[in-house]
Amino acid sequence: MAHTHTHNHHHGHGCDHDHGAQTPATIATAVILFSLATVEWFAGKGLNNPGVIADAGHNLSDAIFALAVVLMIPVIGIGRKVFSSSHFMRCNIESLVAIVIAFTTIAMIGYLSIEQVLKGVSTEHSELVLLIGIVSWGINLTLAKMLMRSSNSVTKSLGVHLLSDATASLWISGAAIATLAVAWWGWNVIAAVIILGLAAKHNWHLISDEGKKIHRLESCSENVNSPSHSH
């Protein structure tokens, strides 16, 4: 999830942000992914399949990010008022919110996958698992292409994120095919671990990027406020 930023260092060293997300497409993406995640959650629980559960968590995290793009405007506005006396919080609250969401996503998917493995894994209904994986991949791919056609940088960035995440769903189908060939419960666990790993990787990159953004903002602020800085 990317955001464009403009910074005014001439009047009180403000930190103005441009959040012109294409709201209708982003909201539609959030609703569709949330619906898909809900279906996958119940299907995964019913099928005792940690791979499907992990993909449900992965799609739910994408739905949350899509919704966050829309909600970020009022949330950040409120946050800046609450922390108006703190330059650090006022200018970095957007990045801090994104980091909290990313950490929560990693923890949530990991918990759901481990919980399902501990309850037992089934090798039955692999044909249905294969279909779920293909449908999930198709939906992510379609949404990604739709968002990437947008001229808005934030919306396009979300589309790129979904495009990279679409491949995660294919691991469910791969595990289902492997299970059909060799009826071993471990394929589904491997799929869950890979999906969790991909989600963790993507979210860790987000955390890293937002952390670097905070560092750049603080470094810029220190340089602007230093006695040697001239306007």
Side-chain angles (χ1 to χ4, degrees), residues 117-198:
V117 170
L118 293 177
K119 287 185 176 180
V121 181
S122 174
T123 58
E124 299 178 352
H125 307 293
S126 294
E127 296 88 351
L128 180 57
V129 174
L130 173 61
L131 178 61
I132 291 173
I134 293 175
V135 169
S136 179
W137 170 76
I139 290 176
N140 276 275
L141 186 63
T142 301
L143 291 174
K145 290 184 175 181
M146 176 188 73
L147 295 175
M148 288 173 67
R149 285 198 295 266
S150 171
S151 59
N152 182 271
S153 61
V154 177
T155 306
K156 185 176 294 186
S157 176
L158 179 60
V160 173
H161 177 74
L162 289 182
L163 185 63
S164 64
D165 277 4
T167 56
S169 299
L170 290 179
W171 287 100
I172 304 176
S173 300
I177 293 172
T179 304
L180 287 171
V182 180
W184 178 52
W185 60 271
W187 298 122
N188 296 306
V189 176
I190 292 173
V193 170
I194 291 175
I195 292 172
L196 172 60
L198 290 173

Side-chain angles (χ1 to χ4, degrees), residues 92-104:
N92 296 308
I93 189 169
E94 177 181 349
S95 293
L96 294 173
V97 169
I99 288 173
V100 169
I101 293 175
F103 270 121
T104 303

